[in-house]
Amino acid sequence: MSSTSPSRLFSEVPFETDGKHTGFIRLFNSVHESAFGFIPIPIVVVRNGEGPTALLVSGNHGDEYEGQVALCNLARGLSPDRISGRVIITPMANFPAGKAGLRTSPIDGGNLNRAFPGDPSGSVTEQIAYFYETVLVPMSDYICDLHSGGSSLMYVPSTLTVRPSDPAKLGPLLGMLKAFGAPYGYVSAGGNGTGGESSLWGAAERCGKLAINTELGGAGSVHAGGLRIGCRGINNLLVHAGILPQEDFIPVDRPTRLLELKGPDYYVYATEDGIFEPLVEPGDEVISGQAAGRIHSPETPWLEPTISYFQREGIVMCKRIPGRTKRGDCLFHLASELPSGA
Ligand code: CA
């Protein structure tokens, strides 16, 4: 990869013209059915004069829907007269995955949030990552990537960011978590397969931008409560950024509880193949040594189920959804109180 090569993707919509502009990012993909055709990644740009830019993304994982619905609502409802600056909305970042209702692209198997910084001449997913890395992220000040648990996980509605390499950036990132106003907001140490540098958050980190994510629900469906929190959170984040006026702030019933997610002991995995019976739910508080789930073996029904335990105390952020489970699947992860001044 050469980071100096321009992206091959082309935006139909202008970024520097006032008003609301709707259309597609064209990703040319010459295939058997379509020699000169393009993959149409939808984009809405709303701009009014000078000011900060917010980049709002969903469908990074195609089977995570609350953010996609929230950004459809915003794309229709946001008026340029109301804002100062610019809002860039891309509700189906990994468009082929979104169309298929899959986490990863059916074209190249690519997981967009593990494909950064991407490659201008790489696979379809790598080309999308490169467009965000070199075009959309550099023109943005505030980035919010709206995730949920996908088909395999269900989250308590929450926001997160990754601990930045520059400690001075943590305060502004916590400010974004608090502004979004989800019940929980956590600072992840990264690792444990969660992406880090290869995620859109990593692109923002490389570019010196502020980025948070959400986990609004999951289970391959639309969680109504998570969607409401997401719509309110996006609005209040735009107020926080100074893009929407202060009078548009929507009150939040209780402030975000700030948490952190650190090492491997925050995760519980299946240790056998079988049927997963959860013993706790997202939002529950647990103690170290508490039983988390049982794995049953109907193939050998006289065997005792295998029990997985929490290795530390914390709040359950998510649980695995499919009953059928194999060794190595993530069943739960925790977050714990963020020490003040951390
Ligand atoms: Ca996700």
Side-chain angles (χ1 to χ4, degrees), residues 166-243:
D166 175 5
K169 279 179 67 183
L170 184 60
L173 289 169
L174 293 180
M176 289 174 71
L177 297 186
K178 288 190 265 192
F180 198 97
Y184 302 97
Y186 60 93
V187 179
S188 171
N192 298 289
T194 57
E197 290 181 357
S198 60
S199 69
L200 178 58
W201 189 94
E205 167 86 346
R206 278 186 289 281
C207 209
K209 309 297 181 148
L210 297 171
I212 64 168
N213 286 16
T214 70
E215 297 290 2
L216 293 174
S221 67
V222 177
H223 182 259
L227 173 59
R228 279 193 297 275
I229 289 166
C231 290
R232 183 188 65 193
I234 292 163
N235 178 85
N236 287 355
L237 191 62
L238 293 177
V239 172
H240 175 77
I243 295 173

Coordinates of all heavy atoms in Angstrom, one line a residue, residues 166-243:
D166 N -2.2 9.8 23.3 CA -2.0 11.1 23.9 C -3.0 11.3 25.1 O -4.2 11.4 24.9 CB -2.2 12.2 22.9 CG -2.1 13.6 23.5 OD1 -1.7 13.7 24.7 OD2 -2.3 14.6 22.8
P167 N -2.5 11.2 26.3 CA -3.4 11.3 27.5 C -4.2 12.6 27.5 O -5.3 12.6 28.1 CB -2.4 11.3 28.7 CG -1.1 10.8 28.2 CD -1.1 11.1 26.7
A168 N -3.7 13.6 26.9 CA -4.5 14.9 26.8 C -5.8 14.8 26.1 O -6.7 15.6 26.2 CB -3.6 16.0 26.2
K169 N -5.9 13.7 25.2 CA -7.1 13.6 24.4 C -8.2 12.8 25.2 O -9.4 12.8 24.8 CB -6.8 12.8 23.1 CG -6.2 13.6 22.0 CD -5.9 12.8 20.8 CE -7.2 12.3 20.1 NZ -6.8 11.4 19.0
L170 N -7.8 12.2 26.4 CA -8.9 11.5 27.1 C -10.0 12.3 27.6 O -11.2 12.0 27.4 CB -8.2 10.7 28.3 CG -9.2 9.8 29.0 CD1 -9.8 8.7 28.1 CD2 -8.5 9.1 30.2
G171 N -9.7 13.5 28.1 CA -10.7 14.4 28.6 C -11.7 14.8 27.5 O -12.9 14.6 27.7
P172 N -11.3 15.3 26.4 CA -12.3 15.6 25.3 C -13.1 14.3 24.8 O -14.2 14.5 24.5 CB -11.4 16.1 24.1 CG -10.2 16.6 24.8 CD -9.9 15.8 26.0
L173 N -12.4 13.1 24.9 CA -13.2 11.9 24.5 C -14.2 11.6 25.5 O -15.4 11.2 25.2 CB -12.2 10.7 24.3 CG -11.3 10.8 23.1 CD1 -10.2 9.8 23.1 CD2 -12.1 10.7 21.8
L174 N -13.9 11.7 26.8 CA -14.9 11.5 27.9 C -16.0 12.5 27.8 O -17.2 12.2 28.0 CB -14.2 11.6 29.3 CG -13.2 10.5 29.6 CD1 -12.6 10.7 31.0 CD2 -13.9 9.1 29.5
G175 N -15.6 13.7 27.4 CA -16.7 14.8 27.1 C -17.7 14.3 26.1 O -18.9 14.6 26.2
M176 N -17.2 13.7 25.0 CA -18.1 13.2 24.0 C -19.0 12.1 24.5 O -20.2 12.0 24.2 CB -17.3 12.7 22.8 CG -16.6 13.9 22.0 SD -15.6 13.3 20.6 CE -16.8 12.6 19.4
L177 N -18.4 11.2 25.3 CA -19.2 10.1 25.9 C -20.3 10.6 26.8 O -21.4 10.2 26.7 CB -18.3 9.1 26.7 CG -17.2 8.3 26.0 CD1 -16.5 7.4 27.0 CD2 -17.7 7.6 24.8
K178 N -19.9 11.6 27.6 CA -20.9 12.2 28.5 C -22.0 13.0 27.7 O -23.2 12.9 28.0 CB -20.2 13.1 29.5 CG -19.5 12.3 30.6 CD -19.0 13.2 31.7 CE -17.6 13.7 31.5 NZ -17.0 14.3 32.7
A179 N -21.6 13.7 26.6 CA -22.5 14.4 25.8 C -23.5 13.5 25.1 O -24.7 13.8 25.0 CB -21.8 15.2 24.8
F180 N -23.0 12.3 24.7 CA -23.9 11.4 24.0 C -25.0 10.9 25.0 O -26.2 10.7 24.6 CB -23.1 10.2 23.5 CG -23.9 9.4 22.4 CD1 -23.6 9.6 21.1 CD2 -24.8 8.4 22.8 CE1 -24.3 8.9 20.1 CE2 -25.5 7.7 21.8 CZ -25.2 8.0 20.5
G181 N -24.6 10.7 26.3 CA -25.6 10.4 27.3 C -26.2 9.0 27.3 O -27.3 8.8 27.8
A182 N -25.5 8.0 26.8 CA -26.0 6.6 27.0 C -25.8 6.3 28.5 O -25.1 6.9 29.2 CB -25.1 5.7 26.1
P183 N -26.5 5.3 28.9 CA -26.5 4.9 30.3 C -25.0 4.6 30.8 O -24.6 4.9 31.9 CB -27.3 3.6 30.4 CG -28.3 3.8 29.3 CD -27.6 4.5 28.2
Y184 N -24.2 3.9 29.9 CA -22.8 3.6 30.2 C -21.9 4.1 29.1 O -22.3 4.1 27.9 CB -22.7 2.1 30.3 CG -23.5 1.4 31.4 CD1 -24.7 0.8 31.0 CD2 -23.1 1.4 32.7 CE1 -25.5 0.3 32.0 CE2 -23.9 0.9 33.7 CZ -25.1 0.3 33.3 OH -25.9 -0.3 34.3
G185 N -20.7 4.5 29.5 CA -19.7 4.9 28.5 C -18.4 4.3 29.0 O -18.0 4.6 30.2
Y186 N -17.7 3.6 28.2 CA -16.4 3.0 28.7 C -15.2 3.3 27.9 O -15.3 3.6 26.7 CB -16.6 1.5 29.0 CG -17.0 0.6 27.8 CD1 -16.0 0.0 27.0 CD2 -18.3 0.3 27.5 CE1 -16.3 -0.8 26.0 CE2 -18.6 -0.5 26.4 CZ -17.6 -1.1 25.7 OH -18.0 -1.9 24.6
V187 N -14.1 3.2 28.5 CA -12.8 3.5 27.9 C -12.2 2.1 27.7 O -11.9 1.4 28.7 CB -11.9 4.4 28.7 CG1 -10.6 4.6 28.0 CG2 -12.6 5.7 28.9
S188 N -12.0 1.7 26.5 CA -11.4 0.4 26.2 C -9.9 0.5 26.1 O -9.4 1.4 25.5 CB -12.0 -0.2 25.0 OG -11.3 -1.4 24.6
A189 N -9.2 -0.5 26.6 CA -7.7 -0.6 26.4 C -7.4 -1.1 25.0 O -6.2 -1.2 24.7 CB -7.1 -1.5 27.5
G190 N -8.4 -1.5 24.3 CA -8.2 -2.2 23.0 C -7.8 -3.6 23.2 O -7.9 -4.2 24.3
G191 N -7.3 -4.3 22.2 CA -6.9 -5.7 22.3 C -8.1 -6.6 22.3 O -9.2 -6.2 22.1
N192 N -7.8 -7.9 22.6 CA -8.8 -8.9 22.7 C -9.7 -9.0 21.4 O -10.9 -9.2 21.5 CB -9.6 -8.7 23.9 CG -8.8 -8.9 25.2 OD1 -8.4 -10.0 25.5 ND2 -8.5 -7.8 25.8
G193 N -9.1 -8.7 20.3 CA -9.8 -8.8 19.0 C -10.7 -7.7 18.7 O -11.5 -7.7 17.8
T194 N -10.7 -6.6 19.5 CA -11.6 -5.5 19.3 C -11.2 -4.5 18.2 O -12.0 -3.5 18.0 CB -11.9 -4.8 20.6 OG1 -10.6 -4.3 21.1 CG2 -12.5 -5.7 21.7
G195 N -10.1 -4.6 17.6 CA -9.9 -3.7 16.5 C -8.7 -2.8 16.7 O -7.6 -3.0 16.1
G196 N -8.9 -1.8 17.5 CA -7.8 -0.8 17.8 C -7.4 -0.1 16.5 O -8.2 0.5 15.8
E197 N -6.1 -0.3 16.2 CA -5.5 0.4 15.1 C -6.2 0.1 13.7 O -6.2 0.9 12.8 CB -4.0 0.1 14.9 CG -3.2 0.7 16.0 CD -1.7 0.3 15.8 OE1 -1.4 -0.4 14.9 OE2 -0.9 0.8 16.6
S198 N -6.7 -1.1 13.6 CA -7.3 -1.5 12.3 C -8.8 -1.1 12.2 O -9.5 -1.5 11.3 CB -7.2 -3.0 12.1 OG -7.8 -3.7 13.2
S199 N -9.3 -0.3 13.2 CA -10.7 0.1 13.2 C -10.8 1.6 12.7 O -9.7 2.3 12.6 CB -11.3 0.0 14.6 OG -10.7 1.0 15.4
L200 N -12.0 2.1 12.5 CA -12.2 3.5 12.2 C -11.7 4.4 13.3 O -11.1 5.4 13.0 CB -13.7 3.7 11.9 CG -14.1 5.2 11.6 CD1 -13.4 5.7 10.3 CD2 -15.6 5.2 11.4
W201 N -11.8 3.9 14.5 CA -11.2 4.7 15.6 C -9.7 4.8 15.4 O -9.2 5.9 15.7 CB -11.5 3.9 17.0 CG -11.1 4.8 18.1 CD1 -11.9 5.6 18.9 CD2 -9.8 4.9 18.7 NE1 -11.2 6.3 19.8 CE2 -9.9 5.9 19.7 CE3 -8.5 4.4 18.4 CZ2 -8.8 6.2 20.5 CZ3 -7.4 4.7 19.2 CH2 -7.6 5.7 20.2
G202 N -9.1 3.8 14.9 CA -7.6 3.9 14.7 C -7.3 4.9 13.6 O -6.3 5.7 13.7
A203 N -8.2 5.0 12.6 CA -8.0 6.1 11.6 C -8.0 7.5 12.2 O -7.2 8.3 11.9 CB -9.0 5.9 10.5
A204 N -9.0 7.6 13.1 CA -9.1 8.9 13.8 C -7.9 9.2 14.7 O -7.4 10.3 14.7 CB -10.4 8.9 14.6
E205 N -7.4 8.2 15.3 CA -6.2 8.4 16.2 C -5.0 8.8 15.4 O -4.3 9.7 15.7 CB -6.0 7.0 16.9 CG -4.6 6.9 17.6 CD -4.6 7.5 19.0 OE1 -5.6 8.2 19.4 OE2 -3.6 7.2 19.8
R206 N -4.8 8.1 14.2 CA -3.7 8.4 13.3 C -3.8 9.9 12.8 O -2.8 10.5 12.6 CB -3.6 7.5 12.1 CG -3.0 6.2 12.5 CD -2.8 5.3 11.2 NE -4.1 4.8 10.7 CZ -4.7 3.7 11.2 NH1 -4.2 3.1 12.3 NH2 -5.9 3.3 10.7
C207 N -5.0 10.3 12.7 CA -5.3 11.6 12.0 C -5.4 12.7 13.1 O -5.7 13.9 12.7 CB -6.5 11.5 11.2 SG -6.6 12.6 9.8
G208 N -5.3 12.4 14.4 CA -5.4 13.4 15.4 C -6.9 13.9 15.7 O -7.1 15.0 16.1
K209 N -7.8 13.0 15.4 CA -9.2 13.4 15.5 C -9.9 12.7 16.7 O -9.3 11.7 17.2 CB -10.0 13.0 14.2 CG -9.4 13.5 13.0 CD -9.3 15.0 12.9 CE -8.7 15.5 11.6 NZ -9.3 16.8 11.1
L210 N -11.0 13.2 17.1 CA -11.7 12.7 18.3 C -12.8 11.7 17.8 O -13.7 12.1 17.0 CB -12.4 13.8 19.1 CG -11.4 14.8 19.8 CD1 -12.1 15.9 20.4 CD2 -10.5 14.1 20.8
A211 N -12.8 10.5 18.3 CA -13.8 9.5 17.8 C -14.3 8.6 19.0 O -13.5 8.2 19.8 CB -13.1 8.5 16.8
I212 N -15.6 8.5 19.0 CA -16.2 7.5 19.9 C -17.1 6.5 19.1 O -17.4 6.8 17.9 CB -17.1 8.2 20.9 CG1 -18.3 8.9 20.3 CG2 -16.3 9.2 21.8 CD1 -19.4 9.4 21.3
N213 N -17.4 5.4 19.7 CA -18.3 4.4 19.2 C -19.5 4.3 20.1 O -19.5 4.7 21.2 CB -17.6 3.0 19.1 CG -16.6 3.0 18.0 OD1 -16.1 4.0 17.5 ND2 -16.1 1.7 17.7
T214 N -20.5 3.6 19.5 CA -21.6 3.2 20.4 C -21.7 1.7 20.3 O -21.2 1.0 19.4 CB -23.0 3.8 19.9 OG1 -23.4 3.1 18.7 CG2 -22.9 5.3 19.7
E215 N -22.4 1.1 21.3 CA -23.0 -0.2 21.3 C -24.4 -0.1 21.7 O -24.7 -0.1 22.9 CB -22.2 -1.2 22.2 CG -20.7 -1.4 21.8 CD -20.5 -2.1 20.6 OE1 -21.4 -2.6 19.9 OE2 -19.3 -2.3 20.2
L216 N -25.4 0.0 20.7 CA -26.7 0.4 21.1 C -27.7 -0.7 21.3 O -28.8 -0.5 21.7 CB -27.3 1.3 19.9 CG -26.6 2.7 19.8 CD1 -27.1 3.5 18.6 CD2 -26.7 3.5 21.1
G217 N -27.3 -1.9 21.1 CA -28.2 -3.1 21.2 C -27.5 -4.2 20.5 O -26.4 -4.6 20.8
G218 N -28.3 -4.8 19.6 CA -27.7 -5.9 18.8 C -28.6 -7.0 18.6 O -29.8 -6.8 18.4
A219 N -28.1 -8.2 18.6 CA -28.9 -9.5 18.3 C -29.5 -9.5 16.9 O -30.5 -10.1 16.6 CB -30.0 -9.6 19.4
G220 N -28.8 -8.7 16.0 CA -29.3 -8.7 14.6 C -30.7 -8.1 14.4 O -31.4 -8.4 13.5
S221 N -31.1 -7.2 15.4 CA -32.4 -6.6 15.3 C -32.3 -5.2 15.7 O -31.2 -4.7 15.9 CB -33.4 -7.3 16.3 OG -33.0 -7.1 17.6
V222 N -33.4 -4.5 15.8 CA -33.4 -3.1 16.2 C -34.0 -3.0 17.6 O -35.2 -3.4 17.8 CB -34.3 -2.2 15.3 CG1 -34.3 -0.8 15.8 CG2 -33.7 -2.2 13.9
H223 N -33.2 -2.6 18.6 CA -33.6 -2.5 20.0 C -34.2 -1.1 20.1 O -33.5 -0.1 20.0 CB -32.3 -2.7 20.9 CG -32.6 -2.6 22.3 ND1 -32.4 -1.5 23.1 CD2 -33.1 -3.6 23.2 CE1 -32.7 -1.8 24.3 NE2 -33.2 -3.0 24.4
A224 N -35.5 -1.0 20.4 CA -36.2 0.2 20.4 C -35.6 1.2 21.4 O -35.4 2.4 21.1 CB -37.7 0.0 20.7
G225 N -35.3 0.7 22.6 CA -34.7 1.6 23.6 C -33.3 2.1 23.2 O -33.0 3.3 23.4
G226 N -32.5 1.2 22.7 CA -31.2 1.6 22.2 C -31.3 2.6 21.0 O -30.5 3.5 20.9
L227 N -32.3 2.4 20.2 CA -32.5 3.4 19.1 C -32.8 4.8 19.6 O -32.2 5.8 19.1 CB -33.6 2.9 18.1 CG -34.0 3.8 17.0 CD1 -32.8 4.2 16.1 CD2 -35.1 3.2 16.2
R228 N -33.7 4.8 20.6 CA -34.0 6.2 21.2 C -32.8 6.8 21.8 O -32.6 8.0 21.6 CB -35.1 6.0 22.3 CG -36.5 5.9 21.7 CD -37.6 6.0 22.8 NE -37.5 5.0 23.8 CZ -38.1 3.8 23.8 NH1 -38.8 3.5 22.7 NH2 -38.0 2.9 24.7
I229 N -32.0 6.0 22.5 CA -30.8 6.6 23.1 C -29.8 7.1 22.0 O -29.2 8.1 22.2 CB -30.2 5.5 24.0 CG1 -31.0 5.4 25.3 CG2 -28.7 5.9 24.4 CD1 -30.7 4.1 26.1
G230 N -29.8 6.3 20.9 CA -28.9 6.7 19.8 C -29.3 8.0 19.2 O -28.5 8.8 18.9
C231 N -30.6 8.1 18.9 CA -31.1 9.3 18.2 C -30.8 10.6 19.1 O -30.4 11.6 18.7 CB -32.6 9.2 17.9 SG -33.0 8.0 16.6
R232 N -31.2 10.4 20.4 CA -30.9 11.5 21.3 C -29.4 11.8 21.5 O -29.0 13.0 21.5 CB -31.5 11.2 22.7 CG -31.4 12.3 23.8 CD -31.8 11.8 25.1 NE -30.9 10.7 25.6 CZ -31.1 9.9 26.7 NH1 -32.3 10.0 27.3 NH2 -30.3 9.0 27.0
G233 N -28.6 10.8 21.5 CA -27.2 10.9 21.7 C -26.6 11.6 20.5 O -25.7 12.5 20.7
I234 N -27.0 11.3 19.3 CA -26.4 12.0 18.1 C -26.8 13.5 18.2 O -25.9 14.3 17.9 CB -27.0 11.3 16.8 CG1 -26.4 9.9 16.7 CG2 -26.6 12.2 15.6 CD1 -27.2 9.1 15.7
N235 N -28.0 13.7 18.5 CA -28.5 15.2 18.6 C -27.6 15.9 19.6 O -27.1 17.0 19.3 CB -29.9 15.2 19.0 CG -30.4 16.6 19.2 OD1 -30.9 17.3 18.2 ND2 -30.4 17.1 20.4
N236 N -27.4 15.3 20.8 CA -26.7 16.0 21.9 C -25.2 16.1 21.6 O -24.6 17.0 22.0 CB -27.0 15.3 23.2 CG -28.4 15.6 23.7 OD1 -29.1 16.4 23.1 ND2 -28.8 15.0 24.8
L237 N -24.7 15.1 20.8 CA -23.3 15.2 20.4 C -23.1 16.4 19.4 O -22.1 17.1 19.5 CB -22.9 13.9 19.8 CG -21.4 13.7 19.5 CD1 -20.6 13.7 20.8 CD2 -21.2 12.4 18.7
L238 N -24.1 16.6 18.6 CA -24.0 17.7 17.6 C -24.1 19.0 18.4 O -23.5 20.0 18.0 CB -25.0 17.6 16.5 CG -24.9 16.4 15.5 CD1 -26.0 16.4 14.6 CD2 -23.5 16.6 14.8
V239 N -24.9 19.1 19.5 CA -24.9 20.3 20.3 C -23.6 20.5 21.0 O -23.0 21.6 21.0 CB -26.1 20.1 21.4 CG1 -26.0 21.3 22.4 CG2 -27.4 20.1 20.7
H240 N -23.0 19.4 21.5 CA -21.7 19.4 22.2 C -20.6 20.0 21.2 O -19.7 20.7 21.7 CB -21.4 18.0 22.7 CG -20.0 17.9 23.2 ND1 -19.7 18.3 24.5 CD2 -18.9 17.3 22.7 CE1 -18.4 18.0 24.8 NE2 -17.9 17.4 23.7
A241 N -20.7 19.6 20.0 CA -19.7 20.0 19.0 C -19.9 21.5 18.5 O -19.1 22.0 17.8 CB -19.8 19.1 17.7
G242 N -21.1 22.0 18.9 CA -21.3 23.4 18.5 C -21.9 23.5 17.1 O -22.0 24.6 16.5
I243 N -22.4 22.3 16.6 CA -22.9 22.3 15.2 C -24.4 22.6 15.3 O -25.0 23.3 14.5 CB -22.7 20.9 14.6 CG1 -21.1 20.8 14.3 CG2 -23.4 20.8 13.3 CD1 -20.7 19.4 13.8

